[in-house]
Amino acid sequence: MAEILSSTIVSTKLGRIAKLAREKPGVALTSLSHHIDVDWLREAYRRTRKDGATGIDGQSAEEYAMKLEENLQSLLDRAKSGTYRAPAVRRVHIPKGNGGTRPLGIPTFEDKVLQRAVAMALEAVYEQDFLDCSYGFRPGRSAHQALDELQHQAVCMAGGWVLEVDVEKFFDRLDHAMLRQILQQRVRDGVVLRLIGKWLNAGVLEEGTLVVPESGTPQGGVISPILANIYLHEVLDKWFEQEVKPRLASKAVLVRYADDAVFLFANEKDARRVLAVLPKRLAKYGLTLHPTKTRLIAFRRPDRTPPSGSAPAGPGTFDLLGFTHYWSQSRQGKWIVKRQTARDRFGRALSRVMEWCRGHRHDAVRDQHRALVAKLRGHFQYFGISGNWQMLARFRYEVIHAWRKWLSRRSQRGSMTWERMDRLLERYALPTPHIAHRFPSRAANP
């Protein structure tokens, strides 16, 4: 009952903040922390994942909940008085598709709750400012909406030139001083800014060594996605919409999901002009383009003759959010942009399943089956878009092969023949591919 009441109270407060921000565009708000009370923290607690890894203090969500009201009141008092000390984040590394690793910072559970509380206030303000081109980590928006918008614009423009942008180590190189300047254009609440400053300087604990970075925001932190969006809204979105597009000769579109961005240009000269000035724009904010992952690609519709003197269209493809985009013909013979699972994402997902099968080959078959069902359903839920059925079927086929391989190595009594495997699959059936996102699913105003 208390949670329902808190949600209602906080929803009203968020509406007030959003209304004020909407009515005063460009004005810095000074009293955001006034709205943060125990009800607000209780709602932040409700929105915080309870099954995540623990931080450096080892405290779980269940342990924190044992004295929830006492803990929330203490947290509020320390946050408002300035005595709250942001603990260091625990760093772990997860594998990437290129053989490297991606560092993740894991805050303590209490820190997650407070970060969520501040992120809620910032979101209410900046959702009034953010542009339609940005889709990552925003309420009511998703990766599939970004993909559908890009597909829709490419078909409407009959393709053109695609600038695939990769900001090198964005989360590691986000400039703290620049971020503070950007924040202060819209938020001048001392409590909120002080807490953000503490999180930026909290430090990272890895193998017993504490490192305090001079730049960046830890991937994995609850506050990090909204801070990244605020930063890139200033660096890319506003700049492209207000300064670049009015100077271009033809239509151009930006689609951004967090630090993944794709520009689509109808005119090659426009594309090359933007590519020439983009490094300078990023350098102003302490960022750089990845030298090999940033590419300009001819993506004209194959039946369109290129202008005299320009490069041929070629079989151009590009990747965004785990999908490779390419031109193909529909059953009616119309040219459309299709998408299939990108090769690196396919390989990465399959490697994780194979590694899991190897590590759990001695588990009971019913337990292995339950886990593999969940993994396949998750894969189909994200990659199950129109035109990608064959890649889904191939993924299921490879998962079955991996499962059989490691079941064969459970003992020396004989391998798992395909005849035995077929009988096992009759009893422990794996999900068949399904299309979860059918074209067209693009909302006109998501």
Side-chain angles (χ1 to χ4, degrees), residues 239-298:
W239 170 72
F240 184 71
E241 191 68 30
Q242 298 175 7
E243 299 183 35
V244 175
K245 285 177 70 173
R247 294 179 169 88
L248 300 181
S250 301
K251 184 177 180 180
V253 174
L254 166 63
V255 174
R256 181 177 66 80
Y257 190 95
D259 59 329
D260 289 323
V262 165
F263 296 86
L264 176 63
F265 300 90
N267 183 287
E268 179 184 354
K269 290 183 178 179
D270 287 342
R272 295 195 179 279
R273 287 174 60 196
V274 172
L275 178 58
V277 300
L278 189 57
K280 300 174 185 177
R281 175 67 182 179
L282 294 181
K284 180 180 177 181
Y285 293 86
L287 303 174
T288 57
L289 290 174
H290 194 287
T292 58
K293 295 181 180 179
T294 299
R295 304 184 303 150
L296 184 59
I297 304 136

Coordinates of all heavy atoms in Angstrom, one line a residue, residues 239-298:
W239 N 23.5 20.2 -32.0 CA 24.4 20.7 -33.0 C 23.9 20.3 -34.4 O 23.9 21.2 -35.3 CB 25.8 20.1 -32.8 CG 26.8 20.4 -33.9 CD1 27.4 21.6 -34.2 CD2 27.3 19.4 -34.8 NE1 28.3 21.4 -35.2 CE2 28.3 20.1 -35.6 CE3 27.1 18.0 -35.0 CZ2 29.0 19.4 -36.6 CZ3 27.8 17.4 -35.9 CH2 28.7 18.1 -36.8
F240 N 23.6 19.0 -34.6 CA 23.2 18.6 -36.0 C 21.8 19.2 -36.4 O 21.7 19.7 -37.5 CB 23.0 17.1 -36.0 CG 22.7 16.5 -37.3 CD1 23.7 16.5 -38.4 CD2 21.5 16.0 -37.6 CE1 23.4 16.0 -39.6 CE2 21.2 15.5 -38.9 CZ 22.1 15.5 -39.9
E241 N 20.9 19.3 -35.5 CA 19.6 19.8 -35.8 C 19.6 21.3 -36.0 O 18.9 21.8 -36.9 CB 18.6 19.4 -34.7 CG 17.1 19.7 -35.0 CD 16.6 18.7 -36.1 OE1 17.1 17.6 -36.2 OE2 15.7 19.2 -36.8
Q242 N 20.3 22.1 -35.1 CA 20.2 23.5 -35.2 C 21.3 24.2 -36.0 O 21.0 25.3 -36.6 CB 20.3 24.1 -33.7 CG 19.1 23.6 -32.9 CD 19.2 24.0 -31.4 OE1 20.1 24.8 -31.1 NE2 18.4 23.5 -30.6
E243 N 22.5 23.6 -36.1 CA 23.6 24.2 -36.8 C 23.9 23.6 -38.1 O 24.2 24.3 -39.1 CB 24.8 24.2 -35.9 CG 24.7 25.0 -34.6 CD 25.9 25.0 -33.8 OE1 27.0 25.1 -34.4 OE2 25.9 25.0 -32.6
V244 N 23.8 22.2 -38.2 CA 24.3 21.5 -39.4 C 23.2 21.5 -40.5 O 23.3 21.9 -41.6 CB 24.8 20.1 -39.1 CG1 25.1 19.4 -40.3 CG2 26.0 20.2 -38.2
K245 N 22.0 21.0 -40.1 CA 20.9 20.7 -41.1 C 20.5 22.0 -41.9 O 20.3 21.9 -43.1 CB 19.7 20.1 -40.4 CG 19.9 18.6 -40.1 CD 18.8 18.0 -39.3 CE 17.6 17.8 -40.2 NZ 16.5 17.1 -39.5
P246 N 20.4 23.1 -41.3 CA 20.1 24.3 -42.1 C 21.1 24.7 -43.1 O 20.7 25.4 -44.1 CB 20.0 25.4 -41.0 CG 19.7 24.7 -39.7 CD 20.5 23.5 -39.8
R247 N 22.3 24.2 -43.0 CA 23.4 24.5 -44.0 C 23.5 23.4 -45.1 O 24.3 23.5 -46.0 CB 24.7 24.6 -43.3 CG 24.8 25.8 -42.4 CD 26.1 25.9 -41.7 NE 26.3 27.2 -41.0 CZ 26.0 27.4 -39.7 NH1 25.4 26.4 -39.0 NH2 26.2 28.6 -39.1
L248 N 22.7 22.3 -45.0 CA 22.9 21.2 -46.0 C 22.0 21.5 -47.2 O 21.0 22.2 -47.2 CB 22.5 19.9 -45.3 CG 23.3 19.5 -44.1 CD1 22.8 18.1 -43.6 CD2 24.8 19.4 -44.4
A249 N 22.5 20.9 -48.3 CA 21.8 21.0 -49.6 C 20.5 20.1 -49.7 O 19.6 20.5 -50.4 CB 22.7 20.7 -50.7
S250 N 20.5 19.0 -49.0 CA 19.4 18.0 -49.2 C 19.1 17.5 -47.8 O 19.7 17.8 -46.8 CB 19.8 16.9 -50.1 OG 20.2 17.4 -51.4
K251 N 18.1 16.6 -47.8 CA 17.6 16.0 -46.5 C 18.7 15.2 -45.8 O 19.5 14.5 -46.5 CB 16.4 15.1 -46.8 CG 15.8 14.5 -45.6 CD 14.5 13.7 -45.9 CE 13.9 13.2 -44.7 NZ 12.7 12.4 -45.0
A252 N 18.7 15.2 -44.5 CA 19.6 14.4 -43.7 C 18.9 14.0 -42.4 O 18.1 14.8 -41.9 CB 20.9 15.2 -43.4
V253 N 19.2 12.9 -41.9 CA 18.6 12.3 -40.7 C 19.7 11.8 -39.8 O 20.6 11.2 -40.2 CB 17.6 11.2 -41.1 CG1 17.0 10.5 -39.8 CG2 16.5 11.7 -41.9
L254 N 19.5 12.0 -38.5 CA 20.3 11.4 -37.4 C 19.4 10.4 -36.6 O 18.3 10.8 -36.2 CB 20.9 12.5 -36.5 CG 21.6 12.0 -35.2 CD1 22.7 11.1 -35.5 CD2 22.0 13.2 -34.4
V255 N 20.0 9.2 -36.4 CA 19.3 8.3 -35.4 C 20.4 7.9 -34.4 O 21.5 7.4 -34.8 CB 18.8 7.1 -36.1 CG1 18.3 6.0 -35.1 CG2 17.6 7.5 -37.1
R256 N 20.1 8.2 -33.1 CA 21.1 7.9 -32.1 C 20.5 7.1 -31.0 O 19.4 7.3 -30.5 CB 21.7 9.2 -31.5 CG 22.8 9.0 -30.4 CD 23.3 10.3 -29.9 NE 22.4 11.1 -29.2 CZ 22.0 10.8 -27.9 NH1 22.5 9.8 -27.2 NH2 21.1 11.6 -27.3
Y257 N 21.3 6.0 -30.6 CA 20.9 5.2 -29.4 C 22.1 5.2 -28.5 O 23.1 4.5 -28.8 CB 20.5 3.8 -29.9 CG 19.9 3.0 -28.7 CD1 18.5 2.9 -28.6 CD2 20.6 2.3 -27.8 CE1 17.9 2.2 -27.6 CE2 20.1 1.6 -26.8 CZ 18.7 1.5 -26.7 OH 18.1 0.8 -25.6
A258 N 22.0 6.0 -27.4 CA 23.2 6.2 -26.5 C 24.4 6.7 -27.4 O 24.2 7.7 -28.1 CB 23.5 4.9 -25.8
D259 N 25.5 6.0 -27.3 CA 26.6 6.5 -28.1 C 26.8 5.8 -29.5 O 27.8 6.0 -30.2 CB 27.9 6.2 -27.3 CG 28.2 4.8 -27.0 OD1 27.2 4.0 -26.8 OD2 29.4 4.4 -26.9
D260 N 25.7 5.0 -29.9 CA 25.7 4.5 -31.3 C 24.9 5.5 -32.1 O 23.7 5.8 -31.8 CB 25.0 3.1 -31.3 CG 25.9 2.1 -30.6 OD1 27.1 2.1 -30.8 OD2 25.3 1.2 -30.0
A261 N 25.5 6.0 -33.2 CA 24.8 7.0 -34.0 C 25.0 6.7 -35.5 O 26.1 6.2 -35.9 CB 25.3 8.4 -33.7
V262 N 24.0 6.9 -36.3 CA 24.0 6.8 -37.7 C 23.4 8.0 -38.4 O 22.3 8.4 -38.0 CB 23.3 5.5 -38.2 CG1 23.0 5.6 -39.7 CG2 24.1 4.3 -37.9
F263 N 24.1 8.6 -39.3 CA 23.6 9.8 -40.1 C 23.2 9.2 -41.5 O 24.0 8.4 -42.1 CB 24.6 10.9 -40.3 CG 25.1 11.6 -39.0 CD1 26.1 11.0 -38.2 CD2 24.4 12.7 -38.6 CE1 26.4 11.7 -37.0 CE2 24.8 13.4 -37.4 CZ 25.8 12.9 -36.6
L264 N 22.1 9.7 -42.0 CA 21.7 9.3 -43.4 C 21.5 10.6 -44.2 O 20.8 11.4 -43.8 CB 20.4 8.5 -43.3 CG 19.8 8.1 -44.7 CD1 20.7 7.2 -45.4 CD2 18.4 7.4 -44.5
F265 N 22.3 10.6 -45.3 CA 22.3 11.8 -46.1 C 21.8 11.5 -47.5 O 22.2 10.5 -48.1 CB 23.7 12.4 -46.3 CG 24.3 12.8 -45.0 CD1 25.1 11.9 -44.3 CD2 24.2 14.1 -44.5 CE1 25.7 12.3 -43.1 CE2 24.7 14.5 -43.3 CZ 25.5 13.6 -42.6
A266 N 21.0 12.4 -48.1 CA 20.5 12.2 -49.5 C 21.6 12.6 -50.5 O 21.7 12.2 -51.6 CB 19.3 13.0 -49.8
N267 N 22.5 13.5 -50.0 CA 23.5 14.1 -50.8 C 24.9 13.7 -50.4 O 25.3 13.9 -49.2 CB 23.4 15.6 -50.8 CG 24.3 16.4 -51.7 OD1 25.5 16.4 -51.5 ND2 23.8 16.9 -52.8
E268 N 25.8 13.3 -51.3 CA 27.1 12.8 -50.9 C 28.0 14.0 -50.4 O 28.7 13.8 -49.4 CB 27.8 12.2 -52.1 CG 29.2 11.7 -51.9 CD 29.9 11.2 -53.1 OE1 29.3 11.1 -54.2 OE2 31.2 10.9 -53.0
K269 N 27.9 15.1 -51.0 CA 28.7 16.3 -50.6 C 28.3 16.7 -49.1 O 29.2 17.0 -48.3 CB 28.5 17.5 -51.5 CG 29.1 17.3 -52.9 CD 28.9 18.5 -53.7 CE 29.6 18.3 -55.1 NZ 29.4 19.5 -56.0
D270 N 27.0 16.6 -48.8 CA 26.6 16.9 -47.4 C 27.3 15.9 -46.5 O 27.8 16.3 -45.4 CB 25.1 16.8 -47.3 CG 24.4 18.0 -47.9 OD1 25.0 19.0 -48.2 OD2 23.2 17.8 -48.2
A271 N 27.3 14.6 -46.8 CA 27.8 13.6 -46.0 C 29.3 13.9 -45.7 O 29.8 13.7 -44.6 CB 27.6 12.2 -46.6
R272 N 30.0 14.2 -46.8 CA 31.5 14.4 -46.7 C 31.8 15.7 -45.9 O 32.8 15.7 -45.2 CB 32.1 14.5 -48.0 CG 32.0 13.1 -48.8 CD 33.0 13.0 -50.0 NE 32.8 11.7 -50.6 CZ 33.4 10.6 -50.2 NH1 34.2 10.6 -49.1 NH2 33.2 9.4 -50.8
R273 N 31.0 16.7 -46.0 CA 31.2 17.9 -45.2 C 31.0 17.6 -43.7 O 31.8 18.1 -42.9 CB 30.2 19.0 -45.7 CG 30.5 19.6 -47.0 CD 29.3 20.6 -47.4 NE 29.2 21.7 -46.5 CZ 28.1 22.4 -46.4 NH1 27.1 22.2 -47.2 NH2 28.0 23.4 -45.5
V274 N 30.0 16.9 -43.4 CA 29.7 16.6 -42.0 C 30.9 15.7 -41.4 O 31.4 15.9 -40.3 CB 28.4 15.9 -41.8 CG1 28.2 15.4 -40.3 CG2 27.3 16.9 -42.1
L275 N 31.3 14.7 -42.2 CA 32.4 13.8 -41.8 C 33.7 14.7 -41.6 O 34.5 14.4 -40.7 CB 32.7 12.8 -42.9 CG 33.9 11.8 -42.6 CD1 33.7 11.1 -41.2 CD2 34.0 10.8 -43.7
A276 N 33.9 15.7 -42.3 CA 35.1 16.6 -42.2 C 35.0 17.4 -40.9 O 36.1 17.6 -40.3 CB 35.2 17.5 -43.4
V277 N 33.8 17.8 -40.5 CA 33.8 18.7 -39.3 C 33.5 18.0 -38.0 O 33.7 18.5 -36.9 CB 32.7 19.8 -39.5 CG1 33.1 20.7 -40.7 CG2 31.3 19.2 -39.7
L278 N 33.0 16.7 -38.1 CA 32.6 16.0 -36.9 C 33.8 15.7 -36.0 O 33.6 15.9 -34.8 CB 32.0 14.6 -37.4 CG 31.3 13.8 -36.3 CD1 30.2 14.6 -35.5 CD2 30.7 12.5 -36.8
P279 N 35.0 15.4 -36.4 CA 36.1 15.2 -35.5 C 36.4 16.5 -34.7 O 36.7 16.4 -33.5 CB 37.3 14.9 -36.4 CG 36.6 14.3 -37.6 CD 35.4 15.0 -37.8
K280 N 36.3 17.7 -35.3 CA 36.5 18.9 -34.6 C 35.4 19.2 -33.5 O 35.7 19.6 -32.4 CB 36.6 20.1 -35.6 CG 37.6 20.0 -36.6 CD 37.5 21.1 -37.7 CE 38.6 20.9 -38.8 NZ 38.4 22.0 -39.8
R281 N 34.2 18.8 -33.9 CA 33.1 19.0 -33.0 C 33.3 18.1 -31.7 O 33.1 18.6 -30.6 CB 31.8 18.7 -33.6 CG 30.5 18.7 -32.7 CD 30.2 20.1 -32.2 NE 29.1 20.1 -31.3 CZ 28.6 21.2 -30.7 NH1 29.2 22.4 -31.0 NH2 27.6 21.2 -29.9
L282 N 33.6 16.9 -31.9 CA 33.8 16.0 -30.8 C 35.0 16.4 -30.0 O 35.0 16.3 -28.7 CB 34.0 14.5 -31.3 CG 32.8 13.9 -32.0 CD1 33.1 12.5 -32.4 CD2 31.6 13.9 -31.1
A283 N 36.1 16.8 -30.7 CA 37.3 17.2 -29.9 C 37.1 18.3 -29.0 O 37.7 18.4 -27.9 CB 38.4 17.6 -30.9
K284 N 36.1 19.2 -29.3 CA 35.8 20.3 -28.4 C 35.3 19.8 -27.1 O 35.4 20.5 -26.1 CB 34.7 21.2 -29.1 CG 34.3 22.4 -28.3 CD 33.2 23.2 -29.1 CE 32.7 24.4 -28.3 NZ 31.6 25.1 -29.0
Y285 N 34.7 18.6 -27.1 CA 34.2 18.0 -25.9 C 35.0 16.8 -25.4 O 34.5 16.0 -24.6 CB 32.7 17.6 -26.1 CG 31.8 18.8 -26.3 CD1 31.6 19.3 -27.6 CD2 31.1 19.4 -25.3 CE1 30.8 20.4 -27.8 CE2 30.3 20.5 -25.5 CZ 30.1 21.0 -26.7 OH 29.3 22.1 -27.0
G286 N 36.2 16.8 -25.8 CA 37.1 15.7 -25.3 C 36.9 14.4 -25.9 O 37.4 13.4 -25.3
L287 N 36.2 14.3 -27.0 CA 35.9 13.0 -27.6 C 36.6 12.8 -29.0 O 37.0 13.8 -29.6 CB 34.4 12.8 -27.8 CG 33.5 13.0 -26.5 CD1 32.1 13.0 -26.9 CD2 33.9 11.9 -25.5
T288 N 36.7 11.6 -29.4 CA 37.4 11.3 -30.7 C 36.6 10.2 -31.4 O 35.9 9.3 -30.8 CB 38.8 10.8 -30.5 OG1 38.8 9.6 -29.7 CG2 39.7 11.9 -29.9
L289 N 36.6 10.2 -32.7 CA 36.0 9.1 -33.5 C 36.9 7.9 -33.6 O 38.2 8.1 -33.7 CB 35.7 9.6 -35.0 CG 34.6 10.7 -35.1 CD1 34.6 11.2 -36.6 CD2 33.3 10.1 -34.7
H290 N 36.4 6.8 -33.6 CA 37.2 5.6 -33.8 C 37.7 5.5 -35.2 O 36.9 5.7 -36.2 CB 36.3 4.3 -33.5 CG 37.2 3.1 -33.3 ND1 37.8 2.4 -34.4 CD2 37.5 2.3 -32.2 CE1 38.4 1.4 -33.9 NE2 38.3 1.3 -32.6
P291 N 39.0 5.4 -35.4 CA 39.5 5.5 -36.8 C 39.1 4.5 -37.8 O 39.1 4.8 -39.0 CB 41.1 5.4 -36.5 CG 41.2 4.7 -35.2 CD 40.0 5.1 -34.4
T292 N 38.7 3.3 -37.3 CA 38.3 2.2 -38.3 C 36.8 1.9 -38.3 O 36.3 1.5 -39.2 CB 39.1 0.9 -38.0 OG1 38.8 0.5 -36.7 CG2 40.6 1.2 -38.2
K293 N 36.2 2.2 -37.1 CA 34.8 1.9 -37.0 C 33.9 3.0 -37.5 O 32.7 2.8 -37.7 CB 34.4 1.5 -35.6 CG 35.1 0.2 -35.1 CD 34.7 -0.1 -33.6 CE 35.3 -1.3 -33.1 NZ 34.9 -1.6 -31.7
T294 N 34.4 4.2 -37.7 CA 33.6 5.3 -38.3 C 33.8 5.2 -39.8 O 34.9 5.3 -40.3 CB 34.1 6.6 -37.8 OG1 33.9 6.7 -36.4 CG2 33.3 7.8 -38.4
R295 N 32.7 5.0 -40.5 CA 32.7 4.8 -42.0 C 31.7 5.6 -42.7 O 30.6 5.8 -42.2 CB 32.5 3.3 -42.3 CG 33.5 2.3 -41.6 CD 33.2 0.9 -42.1 NE 31.8 0.5 -41.9 CZ 31.1 -0.3 -42.6 NH1 31.7 -0.8 -43.7 NH2 29.9 -0.7 -42.4
L296 N 32.0 6.0 -43.9 CA 31.0 6.6 -44.8 C 30.7 5.6 -45.9 O 31.6 5.1 -46.6 CB 31.6 7.9 -45.5 CG 30.6 8.7 -46.4 CD1 29.4 9.1 -45.6 CD2 31.3 9.9 -47.0
I297 N 29.4 5.2 -46.1 CA 29.0 4.1 -46.9 C 28.0 4.6 -48.0 O 27.0 5.3 -47.6 CB 28.4 3.0 -46.1 CG1 29.3 2.5 -45.0 CG2 28.0 1.8 -46.9 CD1 28.7 2.4 -43.6
A298 N 28.3 4.2 -49.2 CA 27.3 4.4 -50.3 C 26.1 3.5 -50.1 O 26.3 2.2 -50.1 CB 27.9 4.3 -51.6

